[in-house]
């Protein structure tokens, strides 16, 4: 297989031409957008701008067609059985809130259990917690192994408690570890649970096949998949989407309304109240079409090479504690400089124009478990180069020198 041409890939991003001095390693927070996405969004506003599903005129019909084509392209990306199983939301957070709220009002009963893992993002903890107390539902948490991966032995034991819902991330946004999601779904299903995968980091690393995974829900955000902000995806099997109580109500999602009663529209509209993010959906679809021109395996190999170089460089710098494993890692490395605050390290990197994130990365329970105040997170994307790796290592070396002087 020919090697991945990173320079050709990188040229698609105006950002790197406009800001050539920056090393951008904050990709787990959000990705840069290729020109194809920026053009698709601009063209929508310039040529087709109209509201969807309700206009009598041709412009609205065109906008509706583009919006529904976007749904079809997302459905194909995740291999959903039907495009009605794709609900557009404002992001993974909104999707998770919809699922937690929806199930809590229908499926879950007092005394039921929900199983999460220790490394979840707050978006896969707090929405459940908000309702659990009120509805008498109990949350159990799968602990981690010494390598900071989900402890699958403990998982199996907790499944014996027969949770109604099991919800976990595909890839940890802090550590980058790729979870064995297919196995975890199969075990959860064997225990009779509804399964939910938080694919905010997973959907970009690999194209999820929801039918093969056989998960009941899979969610992600467009902006972490080279798409625009403000658009996200809630995939659900029809059987479960139909049971979700809508978190938002208003236009679009109804069939008939009177002051006495409302009847609801069919899927997917029942869960998409109000004017959707039309340009966002079109931009996400453009991101998917653009990304599919590249070979995922080649991209993964390129990122593995970056990771390998980064790890070997890190090992040569004294005082660096690495929290992430180098294997089964999607390209996210959490680290600390011993005894130093991660915010100080990140600020010194910022001064060298190396963009990373520091703190607890919306995963406070993980950091309590790790007994760390936080971490510096370096997250790589396909457009990063070996030069980016070397500049980050150099900046880290200098940061260590300054902090430990
Ligand atoms: N889950 C994970 C694993 C994430 O990394 C993120 C984003 N950091 C989210 C959920 C929430 O995504 P968003 O903020 O785009 O809704």
């Amino acid at each position: 297989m020919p090697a991945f041409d990173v320079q050709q890939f990188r040229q698609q991003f105006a950002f790197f031409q406009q800001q050539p001095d920056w090393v951008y390693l904050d990709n787990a927070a959000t990705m840069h957008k290729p020109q194809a996405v920026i053009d698709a969004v601009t063209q929508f506003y310039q040529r087709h701008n109209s509201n969807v599903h309700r206009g009598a005129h041709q412009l609205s019909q065109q906008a509706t067609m583009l919006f529904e084509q976007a749904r079809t392209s997302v459905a194909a990306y995740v291999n959903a059985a039907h495009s009605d199983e794709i609900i557009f939301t404002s992001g993974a957070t909104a999707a998770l809130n919809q699922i937690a709220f929806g199930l809590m009002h229908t499926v879950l009963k007092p005394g039921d259990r929900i199983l999460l893992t220790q490394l979840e993002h707050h978006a896969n903890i707090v929405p459940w917690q908000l309702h659990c107390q009120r509805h008498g539902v109990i949350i159990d948490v799968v602990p981690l192994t010494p390598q900071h991966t989900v402890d699958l032995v403990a998982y199996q034991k907790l499944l014996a408690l027969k949770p109604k819902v099991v919800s976990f991330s595909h890839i940890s946004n802090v550590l980058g570890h790729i979870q064995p999601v297919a196995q975890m779904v199969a075990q959860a299903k064997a225990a009779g649970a509804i399964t939910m995968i938080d694919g905010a980091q997973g959907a970009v690393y690999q194209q999820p096949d929801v039918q093969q995974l056989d998960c009941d829900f899979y969610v992600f955000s467009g902006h972490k998949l080279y798409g625009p902000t403000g658009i996200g995806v809630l995939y659900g099997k029809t059987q479960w989407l139909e049971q979700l109580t809508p978190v938002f109500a208003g236009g679009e999602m109804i069939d008939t309304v009177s002051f006495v009663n409302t009847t609801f529209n069919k899927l997917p509209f029942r869960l998409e109240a109000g004017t959707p993010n039309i340009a966002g959906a079109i931009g996400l679809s453009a991101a998917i079409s653009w990304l599919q021109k590249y070979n995922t395996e080649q991209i993964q190999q390129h990122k593995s090479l970056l990771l390998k170089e980064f790890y070997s460089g890190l090992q040569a710098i004294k005082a660096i504690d690495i929290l992430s494993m180098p294997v089964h890692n999607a390209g996210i490395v959490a680290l600390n400089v011993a005894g130093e605050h991660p915010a100080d390290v990140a600020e010194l990197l910022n001064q060298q124009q190396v963009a990373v994130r520091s703190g607890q990365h919306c995963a406070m329970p993980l950091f309590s478990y790790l007994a760390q105040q936080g971490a510096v997170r370096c997250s790589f994307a396909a457009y990063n180069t070996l030069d980016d790796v070397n500049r980050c290592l150099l900046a880290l070396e200098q940061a260590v020198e300054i902090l430990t002087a």
Side-chain angles (χ1 to χ4, degrees):
M1 199 183 346
F4 172 64
D5 185 350
V6 62
Q7 289 308 334
Q8 190 280 338
F9 189 88
R10 196 175 165 88
Q11 272 162 20
Q12 317 287 312
F13 294 79
F15 174 85
F16 297 112
Q17 268 114 57
Q18 312 254 343
Q19 303 277 7
D21 296 334
W22 273 97
V23 173
Y24 186 81
L25 297 179
D26 197 15
N27 295 292
T30 199
M31 306 276 266
H32 286 292
K33 322 301 171 199
Q35 198 57 41
V37 169
I38 297 169
D39 288 347
V41 172
T42 308
Q43 275 174 27
F44 169 72
Y45 284 125
Q46 286 178 342
R47 294 189 200 162
H48 308 289
N49 182 51
S50 267
N51 213 329
V52 289
H53 300 136
R54 48 183 90 157
H57 53 87
Q58 248 182 35
L59 289 172
S60 166
Q61 286 154 15
Q62 276 171 12
T64 303
M65 193 187 71
L66 291 169
F67 182 67
E68 290 305 323
Q69 273 173 358
R71 197 188 304 279
T72 308
S73 105
V74 171
Y77 186 69
V78 301
N79 193 29
H82 201 280
S83 62
D84 291 355
E85 294 183 325
I86 301 299
I87 310 297
F88 283 122
T89 65
S90 64
T93 301
L96 280 155
N97 274 275
Q98 170 61 80
I99 296 166
F101 179 92
L103 290 178
M104 212 54 90
H105 284 79
T106 49
V107 175
L108 291 158
K109 305 278 173 297
D112 281 346
R113 312 186 88 91
I114 293 178
L115 186 56
L116 307 175
T117 85
Q118 189 70 43
L119 48 70
E120 297 311 313
H121 188 282
H122 295 162
N124 191 25
I125 301 172
V126 187
W128 301 109
Q129 212 171 47
L130 262 184
H131 306 290
C132 275
Q133 281 148 359
R134 200 173 329 134
H135 293 266
V137 174
I138 302 150
I139 294 180
D140 294 307
V141 182
V142 189
L144 304 182
T145 63
Q147 290 74 38
H148 310 155
T149 57
V150 174
D151 182 337
L152 294 172
V153 176
Y155 178 61
Q156 191 65 60
K157 280 193 190 138
L158 286 161
L159 285 175
L161 299 176
K162 296 282 172 208
K164 270 270 171 64
V165 179
V166 178
S167 186
F168 47 81
S169 50
H170 190 164
I171 290 172
S172 157
N173 67 304
V174 178
L175 302 165
H177 300 165
I178 305 163
Q179 303 305 322
V181 282
Q183 180 188 342
M184 289 172 78
V185 169
Q187 288 175 303
K189 291 198 93 68
I194 300 167
T195 51
M196 202 317 291
I197 302 180
D198 173 359
Q201 302 293 338
V204 63
Y205 180 72
Q206 90 195 83
Q207 200 174 333
D209 183 334
V210 291
Q211 289 191 72
Q212 200 180 18
L213 285 168
D214 200 25
C215 55
D216 297 309
F217 295 105
Y218 191 102
V219 305
F220 62 96
S221 292
H223 69 100
K224 297 188 203 266
L225 185 64
Y226 301 101
T229 51
I231 187 76
V233 172
L234 188 180
Y235 157 80
K237 282 187 186 162
T238 304
Q239 132 192 41
W240 293 115
L241 289 177
E242 273 170 352
Q243 294 197 50
L244 294 184
T245 304
V247 74
F248 292 117
E252 278 295 291
M253 49 85 74
I254 54 83
D255 186 20
T256 61
V257 179
S258 75
F259 280 107
V260 182
N261 192 31
T262 295
T263 58
F264 296 101
N265 204 342
K266 59 185 180 11
L267 288 172
F269 311 113
R270 194 173 68 85
L271 296 172
E272 289 182 355
T275 300
N277 183 350
I278 308 163
I282 291 168
L284 172 57
S285 165
I288 287 173
S289 311
W290 171 82
L291 188 59
Q292 286 188 321
K293 291 193 193 128
Y294 296 91
N295 180 310
T296 309
E297 238 175 90
Q298 284 188 340
I299 289 181
Q300 286 179 358
Q301 277 176 11
H302 168 69
K303 282 176 69 182
S304 299
L305 176 72
L306 298 182
L307 210 57
K308 201 166 144 233
E309 290 297 308
F310 191 53
Y311 264 88
S312 71
L314 285 178
Q315 271 145 13
I317 307 174
K318 63 174 166 49
I320 298 257
D321 292 334
I322 310 172
L323 306 178
S324 305
M325 282 192 311
V327 290
H328 303 302
N329 187 319
I332 303 174
V333 182
L335 56 90
N336 271 312
V337 174
E340 304 300 333
H341 199 285
D344 294 337
V345 180
E347 174 47 27
L348 288 167
L349 264 58
N350 176 45
Q351 287 171 18
Q352 307 274 335
Q353 292 192 289
V354 175
V356 297
R357 184 158 285 217
S358 73
Q360 301 203 352
H361 313 282
C362 298
M364 285 189 186
L366 172 62
F367 281 93
S368 309
Y369 187 87
L370 297 174
Q372 300 269 349
Q373 58 184 337
V376 173
R377 182 183 69 183
C378 304
S379 50
F380 295 87
Y383 46 61
N384 288 121
T385 60
L386 282 174
D387 190 49
D388 290 340
V389 170
N390 291 332
R391 275 200 46 207
C392 181
L393 288 168
L394 203 65
L396 273 169
E397 238 169 63
Q398 286 176 1
V400 169
E401 242 174 70
I402 293 169
L403 290 167
T404 57

